[in-house]
Structure formats: C-alpha cells, structure tokens
Amino acid sequence: MDDSSKTLTEMSARERSEIVANVVEALENTSANAEESGDSRLLANAHSIACTLRGCRLHFGELDLVAAEQLLTQGITLMSMLSAKRSLNETKH
C-alpha cells in the first residue's frame, strides 16, 4: 500500500468512493454517539456532513473535487475534535 497522501483529483474513482464511504461511516457513528449523549449540535453537524458527502460520492464526475476535499477535511476534523474532547474528559475523571 502506498503511504503517500493523494488529493481526490489524484485518486481513482474507486479510491475516492472508498475514502468518502469510510468518512461517511465514521461520521454516522459519531452522529449516533452524539445522539446517545444528547449532543444535538454535534449530531446535526456530523449528520449534515455525512449526508452531503454521500451525495457527492454518487456524482464525482460532475463535482468540484476541491469542495469535496474540504467536506472530507471538515468531517475528519470534526471527528478528531470529538476524540480529543473525549480524551480530555476521560483524563479529568
């Protein structure tokens, strides 16, 4: 497996689809966890990004890939921030 990072433009259609599917799945899990913990703002954000990415995945040929990369970045950043928040809360207890 190649460890170098690629932009969506550099990826094959299959690679794009796979990365978007993985991020969407992770966002949906984040959304479910947010719902369980009562975090409505996180639930809305994660769900919105996941739905938008799911739609992008179906139309990559017609889509601005820079915008899709930004959505992926936002989704990954959102999950990273949540993970950091959870780690911080666990060390406080």
Side-chain angles (χ1 to χ4, degrees), residues 82-93:
L82 176 63
S83 178
K85 180 180 172 183
R86 284 184 185 153
S87 293
L88 183 61
N89 286 340
E90 288 174 4
T91 57
K92 286 182 180 179
H93 295 292

Side-chain angles (χ1 to χ4, degrees), residues 11-76:
M11 292 180 185
S12 68
R14 182 177 177 201
E15 288 172 319
R16 287 182 202 141
S17 183
E18 287 175 359
I19 194 166
V20 170
N22 289 336
V23 172
V24 166
E25 182 180 350
L27 283 166
E28 288 172 340
N29 290 335
T30 297
S31 180
N33 290 338
E35 186 172 30
E36 289 174 10
S37 67
D39 191 339
S40 60
R41 193 169 71 188
L42 176 61
L43 168 66
N45 287 333
H47 181 72
S48 295
I49 295 171
C51 288
T52 304
L53 282 169
R54 189 179 300 112
C56 292
R57 187 172 153 220
L58 301 175
H59 305 288
F60 268 128
E62 308 158 21
L63 188 76
D64 179 3
L65 294 179
V66 173
E69 279 185 354
Q70 289 175 345
L71 280 169
L72 284 168
T73 300
Q74 288 176 351
I76 292 166

